[in-house]
């Protein structure tokens, strides 16, 4: 890269988002580390700065239009116009359909779908004007269906359609749009699922690994590496795709 490019990563205080922010910084990007709580971004920002990179903590609820607008104003003013957006922020509100509340449904749709929509709409303005951009959306193997996740699987399948449509609309402006569908990745999200099921997290991981063809669970770095590939020049002819990163066809 001749000049520093700017990447925006949501949900980057921890887990997959934090690993992705760190990896993109290693690749030479200045990174806007976005999460609900700005203070929670400090650890990721520090790790990037310790590695000689540049990062900015941005507190933003991705499902709130005004906050998204303010976040992009801050990013553009302090880092510059973004060329890369990783829509990673996510929540779970698992329940079987008959117990799922309106709020369980709306909260998941708001963060995953509305959040990716608002962030992408704000980012594409800069990308299309600059004639180069990369958007990566975090889907999930749950898009194929998963008991107790009617809301989450609908949102993650929705993100696949969203990805393909943005790829069609934005390709002519030099912007590619792809999705990654992770399988089981060790983060606080999967730890919370184990806790909710009353299972020890280590045992939960061992059991999950037995069901995965490569016989191990995933690490946030597995996803960060795929993001790094998709935002790089080697992936410039890949758009509208969903890459399952799950140790097998669907984890
Ligand atoms: P995580 O550890 O729970 O991290 C998610 C981050 O997103 C948290 O820091 C959370 O902040 C933030 N966030 C939640 N709502 C937000 C909002 N409205 N605005 C901004 N930030 C928000 O999750 P993860 O496991 O790294 O997952 C990252 C992404 O990968 C998610 O989209 C998830 O659905 C997807 N994914 C994960 C797995 C897996 O096995 N872990 C598998 C497939 C897909 P708070 O801490 O403040 O809530």
């Amino acid at each position: 890269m001749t000049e520093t490019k700017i990447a925006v990563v949501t949900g980057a205080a921890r887990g997959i988002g934090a690993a992705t922010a760190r990896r993109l910084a290693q690749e030479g990007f200045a990174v806007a580390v976005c999460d609900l709580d700005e203070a929670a971004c400090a650890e990721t920002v520090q790790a990037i700065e310790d590695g000689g990179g540049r990062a900015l903590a941005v507190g933003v609820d991705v499902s709130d239009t005004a906050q998204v607008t303010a976040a992009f104003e801050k990013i553009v003013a302090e880092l510059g116009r973004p060329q890369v957006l990783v829509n990673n922020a996510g929540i779970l509100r698992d329940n079987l359909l008959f117990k799922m509340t309106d709020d369980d449904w709306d909260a998941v749709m708001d963060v995953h779908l509305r959040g990716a929509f608002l962030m992408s709409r704000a980012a594409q303005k800069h990308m299309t004007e600059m004639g180069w951009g990369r958007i990566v959306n975090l889907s999930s193997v749950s898009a194929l269906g998963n008991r107790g996740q009617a809301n989450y699987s609908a949102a993650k399948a929705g993100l696949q359609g969203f990805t393909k449509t943005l790829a069609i609309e934005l390709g002519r402006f030099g912007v590619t749009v792809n999705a990654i569908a992770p399988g089981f990745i060790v983060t606080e999200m999967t730890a919370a699922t184990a806790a909710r099921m009353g299972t020890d997290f280590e045992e939960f991981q061992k059991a999950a690994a037995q069901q995965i063809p490569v016989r191990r669970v995933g690490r946030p770095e597995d996803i960060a590496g795929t993001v790094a590939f998709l935002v790089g020049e080697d992936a410039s002819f890949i758009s509208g795709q969903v890459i399952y990163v799950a140790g097998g066809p669907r984890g």
Side-chain angles (χ1 to χ4, degrees), residues 8 10 16 84-89 111-113 115-121 134-140 155-167 170 176-182 223 226-227 230-231 240-245:
V8 178
T10 68
I16 294 169
V84 167
L85 169 66
V86 183
N87 284 311
N88 167 82
V111 179
H112 296 271
L113 280 179
F117 158 62
L118 293 176
M119 292 295 295
S120 301
R121 189 178 62 182
R134 298 276 190 271
I135 298 175
V136 180
N137 298 315
L138 266 291
S139 179
S140 168
K156 291 308 200 185
L159 277 171
Q160 296 191 7
F162 179 69
T163 297
K164 290 171 190 292
T165 298
L166 294 200
L170 300 179
T176 69
V177 187
N178 291 287
I180 298 173
I223 307 305
T226 312
V227 174
L230 286 173
V231 307
Q241 300 304 307
V242 181
I243 302 183
Y244 282 78
V245 183

Side-chain angles (χ1 to χ4, degrees), residues 27-53:
E27 299 288 327
F29 288 91
V31 185
V33 176
C34 303
D35 212 296
L36 268 179
D37 174 15
E38 186 172 320
C41 299
E43 201 177 314
T44 309
V45 168
Q46 191 64 52
I48 289 172
E49 289 176 349
D50 288 349

Side-chain angles (χ1 to χ4, degrees), residues 134-213:
R134 298 276 190 271
I135 298 175
V136 180
N137 298 315
L138 266 291
S139 179
S140 168
V141 293
S142 297
L144 302 170
N146 199 25
R147 186 179 157 82
Q149 293 195 319
N151 50 1
Y152 184 78
S153 65
K156 291 308 200 185
L159 277 171
Q160 296 191 7
F162 179 69
T163 297
K164 290 171 190 292
T165 298
L166 294 200
I168 291 166
E169 292 187 11
L170 300 179
R172 75 192 62 182
F173 301 105
V175 180
T176 69
V177 187
N178 291 287
I180 298 173
F184 188 115
I185 309 294
V186 177
T187 67
E188 287 187 36
M189 186 178 271
T190 37
T193 300
R196 202 168 43 248
M197 294 169 73
T199 312
D200 173 71
F201 192 35
E202 290 294 324
E203 293 304 319
F204 192 60
Q205 290 179 51
K206 272 188 203 154
Q210 287 312 308
Q211 304 301 315
I212 297 170

